[in-house]
Amino acid sequence: SIHGNKSQQQKLNDAEEKRKLQMEKQKKKNKERDQSRKKKIEETQKKEKYEAEEKKKAMDLRLLKAEENRKKTDLLKKEKVIKDDVRREEIRIARECQEQEKKSAIFEKQVAAEIRKLQK
C-alpha cells in the first residue's frame, strides 16, 4: 500500500537523518580530539623549548663560572710566581749582604793587623 511505502520512505529518511547526525557528531568529536591533541603538542613543544633555554642558561652560567675560576687560578699562579721571585731575590740580597759583611770584617781585621805592625 501507499501508506506502507510512505512509512518505509519515512523510515529511510529518518535513518538517513540519524546517520547524518551521527556523522556530524563524530566529525565534531574528531575535530575536538584533534584540537586537544594539537594543544597538547604545542604545550609540550613550549615546555621543551623553555627547558632547553633554561639548560642553555645554566650551561652558559657554568661556563662563565669556570672561566672566572680559571682566571682566578691564573692570577693566583702569577701571584705565587711573583712572590717566589721576590723571595728568591730577597734571599740573594741577604746572601750578598752577608758576603759583604764577611769581606768587611776580614778587611777590618787586615787593617787592624797593619796598624799593629806599624805601631811596633
Side-chain angles (χ1 to χ4, degrees):
S1 75
I2 297 170
H3 284 295
N5 285 346
K6 205 172 189 185
S7 176
Q8 194 67 22
Q9 188 61 42
Q10 190 59 44
K11 284 181 185 175
L12 283 173
N13 288 346
D14 289 350
E16 183 63 24
E17 194 62 35
K18 192 174 181 183
R19 191 181 66 78
K20 279 183 184 176
L21 282 171
Q22 282 179 332
M23 280 179 70
E24 283 175 19
K25 230 183 197 179
Q26 191 60 44
K27 272 186 186 176
K28 189 178 176 187
K29 204 175 182 182
N30 288 348
K31 190 177 178 185
E32 286 172 357
R33 186 194 62 220
D34 290 347
Q35 284 176 335
S36 174
R37 283 182 182 164
K38 188 178 174 187
K39 190 177 177 187
K40 279 183 185 173
I41 288 169
E42 286 171 354
E43 285 171 358
T44 301
Q45 286 174 338
K46 198 175 178 182
K47 185 180 170 193
E48 286 171 354
K49 185 180 176 189
Y50 173 78
E51 287 172 354
E53 286 171 356
E54 289 300 301
K55 279 182 185 175
K56 189 184 181 316
K57 282 182 196 172
M59 194 175 72
D60 289 346
L61 191 64
R62 283 198 307 273
L63 285 172
L64 196 67
K65 284 183 179 176
E67 181 65 15
E68 284 175 8
N69 286 337
R70 188 190 61 73
K71 284 180 182 175
K72 277 184 198 171
T73 302
D74 286 354
L75 281 175
L76 290 172
K77 284 179 185 173
K78 285 177 186 171
E79 277 181 29
K80 188 183 181 322
V81 167
I82 291 168
K83 283 179 183 174
D84 290 349
D85 288 348
V86 168
R87 184 76 188 119
R88 277 194 291 277
E89 190 63 15
E90 287 172 343
I91 291 169
R92 189 185 64 73
I93 291 169
R95 283 192 185 131
E96 278 182 16
C97 286
Q98 284 177 343
E99 289 295 314
Q100 278 306 121
E101 285 172 10
K102 283 180 190 173
K103 286 179 185 173
S104 293
I106 291 169
F107 184 72
E108 283 175 22
K109 285 180 185 173
Q110 288 173 344
V111 168
E114 287 295 320
I115 291 172
R116 278 197 303 276
K117 277 185 191 174
L118 292 173
Q119 285 175 346
K120 283 186 182 177

